Amino acid sequence: MGTITITPAQIGDAEAIAAVHVASWEATYRGLVPAAVLAGMTLERRTAQWCARLASVDGDRFIRVARRLDGEIVGVVQAGPARTVGDFADSELDVLYVLDRYHGSGVGRRLMAAAIEQARSQGARTLGLWVVVGNARARAFYEKAGAVFAAERTDGDGAERMVEHGLRIDLATGGDGGTPA
């Protein structure tokens, strides 16, 4: 698989990040989320969203990519202060996507470690995130990092309705494969 570096995302990375985002959703969520949600997951739409995110990222938000030596982006992570998990955590993992062919390679763990390190450096005590119900692989990944169930929510409505579980990692004792920080 070659050498992978974790680096800050740049505005010029938007399309490659969007490609990872779309490919990850197609590989992971088919059958778990409504077809209408996946149908709206286009490269063009995600590229525009990532351009906006990267153009407006501030000192509190954190976006890193996993990049091969040839420049290909194979994963992305975004985290920062809590936005939607405020009831159960003070920081939030917004995004963690890795191309399917890199699952099990350690890329996801390295991206997760970077987000946890950033949260700790900002004084966070807990890291929260949402996982679509039925995404057993992601749930196991986060639980291995020390995540525990904290909440449930329904996102969307009608044909776009999906249920998610909120997970919380205590940064004093978790986030490093369950070993103390």
Side-chain angles (χ1 to χ4, degrees):
M1 296 252 165
T3 302
I4 303 288
T5 58
I6 307 300
T7 62
Q10 306 297 317
I11 191 76
D13 295 330
E15 186 173 0
I17 293 170
V20 169
H21 189 154
V22 170
S24 295
W25 271 68
E26 288 174 350
T28 302
Y29 294 115
R30 192 159 310 282
L32 291 180
V33 303
V37 172
L38 288 177
M41 183 75 56
T42 66
L43 181 60
E44 295 77 21
R45 187 173 288 157
R46 288 297 168 196
T47 298
Q49 289 172 340
W50 279 105
C51 280
R53 283 184 193 185
L54 291 165
S56 66
V57 74
D58 58 34
D60 289 340
R61 299 252 52 87
F62 170 88
I63 303 174
R64 295 288 185 269
V65 294
R67 190 184 308 271
R68 291 173 15 141
L69 287 179
D70 66 4
E72 180 189 8
I73 292 174
V74 300
V76 61
V77 65
Q78 177 181 325
R83 293 193 296 196
T84 67
V85 298
D87 291 342
F88 62 87
D90 58 4
S91 65
E92 184 165 357
L93 181 69
D94 303 306
V95 166
L96 178 55
Y97 302 127
V98 175
L99 291 177
D100 201 44
R101 71 182 188 270
Y102 284 88
H103 285 190
S105 71
V107 169
R109 285 190 305 276
R110 291 178 59 204
L111 288 167
M112 180 76 171
I116 287 169
E117 180 181 326
Q118 177 71 11
R120 286 180 177 146
S121 76
Q122 293 176 334
R125 297 178 314 277
T126 54
L127 178 70
L129 59 115
W130 295 102
V131 175
V132 173
V133 170
N135 188 348
R137 173 180 246 161
R139 181 83 182 240
F141 173 82
Y142 295 122
E143 287 175 347
K144 188 172 182 178
V148 296
F149 177 83
E152 182 173 293
R153 74 176 180 183
T154 301
D155 193 20
D157 56 13
E160 295 188 4
R161 182 180 179 274
M162 59 185 163
V163 179
E164 298 172 300
H165 284 167
L167 305 180
R168 177 183 58 244
I169 298 172
D170 180 340
L171 297 177
T173 59
D176 300 303
T179 59

